[in-house]
Amino acid sequence: MDTSASLSAGLTRTPKRGWLVALLSRVQQSSFALLSYSFGMFFPFIRDDLGLTPWQAGVLQGVWWLSAATLALPCGMWFSRYRPIPLISASLLLGLPFIFLQGLAHSFWMLLLARFGIVVSFVLATPARPLIMQEWVAPPQYALVQSIGLSLHSTLLATAISSSVFLITFVGSWRYGYMALGCFFVLHTLTWISIAREKVAPVKGLQQALQSYREPLVRILWKYPQGWLIGITMFALSATWTGVVTFLPTLLLEQHGMALTVSGPILGCLYYILIPGSPLGGWLSKKVTNRRYLLLVPAICNVVFGMAITFTASPWGLMLLLTGTGSLWIVSSVLEVLPFEFPGIQPREVAVVASLVRVLMGVGFAVGPMLVGWVATRTASLQTGLLVLALFTVIGVIAAWFYPNPKPPDHAG
């Protein structure tokens, strides 16, 4: 039976269309993240319009990632048998109505329904993304493609988050902001359908390998325990990220009097460093042969930066700390391709392990704002909520410490 390594062993260079397909697939993930993270900048406007509490804000942000976490693994197991190109196309088409429904919502429950519908449509394509890599990308360039994708992701989110407040202020309504995001998704969907053609994929045996796999996929959950350690580390990084993105602008406005037009661009520092820095992921994949350090160093820094951000009011200090927090994610492009290195792993198994990591990341993205919102409601302090979150993410340091240190394959990077 073909392993992930043997299936694409003959592909030594990624074709141009392969780059486009892989990066367009990554942009879908970026756009999904944008719909979530932009809520943090939209929240003060939505709160005034719909009368939301901090707990409801945490739920609206948390249900986004909690639903994704709940559904990612079942979808990874079930839909990993299907061809990735049409799976992503179906996901994009199903999500479009719900994106526009966000801008039409006039109550907490309608907004919750719209966000849940987007999540369900998106998560259907969870297994398609690692399968796209195996079908279109040369193994020596896995980490490089992921790194370039992260750079594009950062450019998109930094631009959108930094400018969203100005856009809403100019047009006079947060609803038009969501409508603009819906139009962006329509453009992305049309581009994907026109470029992603599976009949010209460079690796031809993927579908046969998917259909011939007969082992119970649930076995993978304990067959590759290192997947759990990657996922728990990413859980910690993700929780800090969404907690900060969701509530830091409100904290700075209410406690320090910092206008959203100032905090918005400052928050963009999370992404600015990733635009030029993300391609370093390919270099790290080659140079850091002790994979444990790729998890441990970011996990430790994540705790330290999270605590410091909570007590910093200086714009320059926040810019420095948020830049540091953003830089930790340079290594995420390498962590995403670590499952491809697991000895003897097969294509569907890669998809399931990647789904498991996505589950734990999704739980982290959900827990971050929900924990901050819950603590803030109980203590009447967003600062306390953010501090509790930072201390909680020590769990990532513990998981990273136990990650094994096998020698990466020759094609890593």
Side-chain angles (χ1 to χ4, degrees), residues 373-388:
W374 183 81
V375 174
T377 300
R378 297 287 180 176
T379 64
S381 171
L382 281 175
Q383 187 176 64
T384 302
L386 287 168
L387 176 61
V388 170

Side-chain angles (χ1 to χ4, degrees), residues 43 45-54 56 108:
F43 173 60
F45 301 96
I46 299 175
R47 177 190 58 186
D48 295 341
D49 192 5
L50 303 183
L52 302 182
T53 66
Q56 287 176 317
F108 165 77

Side-chain angles (χ1 to χ4, degrees), residues 48-286:
D48 295 341
D49 192 5
L50 303 183
L52 302 182
T53 66
W55 168 242
Q56 287 176 317
V59 170
L60 286 169
Q61 190 73 298
V63 74
W64 184 278
W65 297 106
L66 188 60
S67 299
T70 303
L71 297 171
L73 191 56
C75 287
M77 292 182 175
W78 179 258
F79 291 107
S80 61
R81 71 186 67 188
Y82 298 114
R83 292 177 296 135
I85 297 294
L87 194 56
I88 292 179
S89 299
S91 171
L92 286 166
L93 292 170
L94 288 172
L96 285 175
F98 293 103
I99 296 173
F100 287 103
L101 182 61
Q102 275 193 129
L104 300 174
H106 287 276
S107 69
F108 165 77
W109 293 106
M110 184 178 291
L111 189 56
L112 184 65
L113 173 63
R115 292 173 71 80
F116 180 73
I118 296 170
V119 171
V120 171
S121 62
F122 171 82
V123 79
L124 294 178
T126 299
R129 297 173 188 102
L131 295 178
I132 287 288
M133 292 288 291
Q134 296 174 85
E135 188 177 39
W136 289 88
V137 179
Q141 296 180 312
Y142 281 167
L144 179 59
V145 170
Q146 291 288 75
S147 298
I148 298 299
L150 179 60
S151 182
L152 293 176
H153 166 89
S154 305
T155 302
L156 173 63
L157 268 68
T159 302
I161 288 180
S162 300
S163 61
S164 59
V165 173
F166 299 100
L167 173 64
I168 296 173
T169 303
F170 177 75
V171 300
S173 173
W174 60 271
R175 300 181 186 278
Y176 292 127
Y178 278 129
M179 293 299 178
L181 290 175
C183 292
F184 174 79
F185 261 85
V186 170
L187 178 62
H188 175 72
T189 301
L190 294 175
T191 304
W192 171 262
I193 292 174
S194 65
I195 290 178
R197 303 298 178 90
E198 206 155 32
K199 63 181 180 181
V200 295
V203 175
K204 303 299 182 184
L206 178 63
Q207 182 63 19
Q208 182 179 355
L210 299 179
Q211 296 297 329
S212 62
Y213 189 86
R214 293 292 182 265
E215 295 184 43
L217 287 172
V218 71
R219 289 183 61 250
I220 300 170
L221 299 182
W222 58 84
K223 183 178 180 181
Y224 301 104
Q226 58 268 53
W228 287 91
L229 300 177
I230 297 172
I232 294 172
T233 304
M234 294 304 299
F235 163 91
L237 299 182
S238 304
T240 297
W241 192 280
T242 47
V244 169
V245 168
T246 303
F247 287 110
L248 184 60
T250 304
L251 172 66
L252 295 175
L253 175 65
E254 295 180 349
Q255 187 161 320
H256 304 295
M258 186 180 296
L260 292 172
T261 51
V262 177
S263 63
I266 289 177
L267 194 63
C269 289
L270 284 168
Y271 303 96
Y272 300 147
I273 185 62
L274 292 175
I275 297 172
S278 293
L280 289 174
W283 178 83
L284 287 172
S285 179
K286 294 179 180 179

Side-chain angles (χ1 to χ4, degrees), residues 339-401:
F340 293 91
E341 299 179 359
F342 296 173
I345 194 167
Q346 297 175 35
R348 283 192 72 182
E349 292 178 332
V350 172
V352 173
V353 173
S355 298
L356 172 63
V357 173
R358 284 286 166 184
V359 165
L360 295 172
M361 287 179 63
V363 173
F365 283 129
V367 166
M370 292 182 73
L371 178 60
V372 174
W374 183 81
V375 174
T377 300
R378 297 287 180 176
T379 64
S381 171
L382 281 175
Q383 187 176 64
T384 302
L386 287 168
L387 176 61
V388 170
L389 174 63
L391 295 173
F392 176 70
T393 57
V394 171
I395 188 175
V397 179
I398 299 172
W401 179 260

